[in-house]
Amino acid sequence: MAKPNVISKHELIQYAKECLVDKGIEKFTLRAVAEEAGVTQGTIYYHFKTKEQLLLDMVKDICESSWTEISQQNHSYIISQAIESAKSRCSHDSFFHKLFFTLVTSSFNNEKIRSQLGDVMVAENKALTNNLTNLWTKSPIEGVTLETWGILLNAVVDGIAVQALVQKDFPVDKAYEEIERLLKGLGNLLNREGNE
């Protein structure tokens, strides 16, 4: 099969995001993405063998873009930037989390997607841990590693997203304000202990 030179994989992912926002997850098809991008379905299939693979690559792209943006921040703003990034994807009609949880559900019957989604989660946990390592010299609680803090924070973000998806009036702003306060408080606690 000749390589389509009309459009890159990254450009197709951007068109797929637009298509998903416009049509919703229920009406999202590879044909719809091809129409949105103005290319043939063959071009889509060249880059993505299945709809699930395209959806997974969209999740990866969103996560990687978010961490790239956050890592460019001054260390003193990383918590605020990470909180704002997570909050921006958290709402009753969050396209990202609908996409993410649709993939989680479909991965129960598709080991390849499950494995790849697991890799995304590992990368997310690692990114959180690395950012915490830049902020904290050690864990604020003895016996709890920074790796576990990364996993915990990732689970909290996903848990808040689930609640926002199913509860229209879930207090997203309040929840994230208090999580930011908690993280900064733990950092301050570490700083005080280091100065004693």
Side-chain angles (χ1 to χ4, degrees):
M1 180 187 310
K3 181 177 180 180
N5 58 8
V6 182
I7 194 165
S8 71
K9 185 175 183 176
H10 181 73
E11 289 171 312
L12 284 175
I13 290 171
Q14 302 315 309
Y15 280 113
K17 288 179 195 175
E18 291 172 23
C19 183
L20 186 62
V21 170
D22 292 344
K23 297 192 180 309
I25 194 82
E26 303 80 19
K27 295 179 182 175
F28 182 84
T29 63
L30 294 180
R31 176 180 289 198
V33 174
E35 289 172 4
E36 183 88 25
V39 298
T40 66
Q41 274 188 267
T43 300
I44 302 295
Y45 281 110
Y46 177 81
H47 292 289
F48 310 99
K49 302 303 181 213
T50 65
K51 173 180 162 178
E52 288 77 17
Q53 189 60 54
L54 173 55
L55 293 172
L56 183 63
D57 284 355
M58 289 168 56
V59 166
K60 288 178 186 176
D61 182 72
I62 292 166
C63 293
E64 288 169 4
S65 297
S66 177
W67 285 115
T68 297
E69 190 176 303
I70 290 167
S71 69
Q72 294 171 350
Q73 297 295 315
N74 180 311
H75 288 308
S76 60
Y77 297 111
I78 284 179
I79 289 177
S80 297
Q81 181 65 30
I83 293 290
E84 193 55 42
S85 177
K87 188 170 80 171
S88 74
R89 294 189 308 264
C90 186
S91 68
H92 186 65
D93 59 350
S94 167
F95 111 86
F96 173 77
H97 283 102
K98 283 182 182 178
L99 167 62
F100 177 74
F101 292 120
T102 297
L103 278 171
V104 168
T105 303
S106 70
S107 77
F108 297 148
N109 296 315
N110 184 323
E111 193 56 43
K112 183 177 180 184
I113 295 296
R114 184 186 293 200
S115 174
Q116 291 178 11
L117 199 54
D119 292 343
V120 170
M121 297 297 291
V122 167
E124 287 286 290
N125 293 339
K126 186 176 180 182
L128 277 160
T129 300
N130 288 341
N131 279 289
L132 287 174
T133 302
N134 290 331
L135 296 171
W136 298 346
T137 56
K138 63 179 184 169
S139 173
I141 298 175
E142 191 173 327
V144 179
T145 64
L146 291 178
E147 290 82 11
T148 297
W149 279 105
I151 292 167
L152 177 64
L153 290 173
N154 199 11
V156 166
V157 167
D158 289 340
I160 290 172
V162 167
Q163 293 184 59
L165 283 171
V166 299
Q167 182 183 343
K168 194 171 194 130
D169 59 347
F170 182 78
V172 172
D173 289 333
K174 180 179 185 285
Y176 276 107
E177 284 170 14
E178 292 182 14
I179 289 169
E180 184 171 3
R181 226 176 276 134
L182 172 69
L183 292 173
K184 287 182 177 178
L186 289 169
N188 290 338
L189 179 67
L190 282 173
N191 289 337
R192 278 195 300 266
E193 286 178 5
N195 292 330
E196 292 177 358

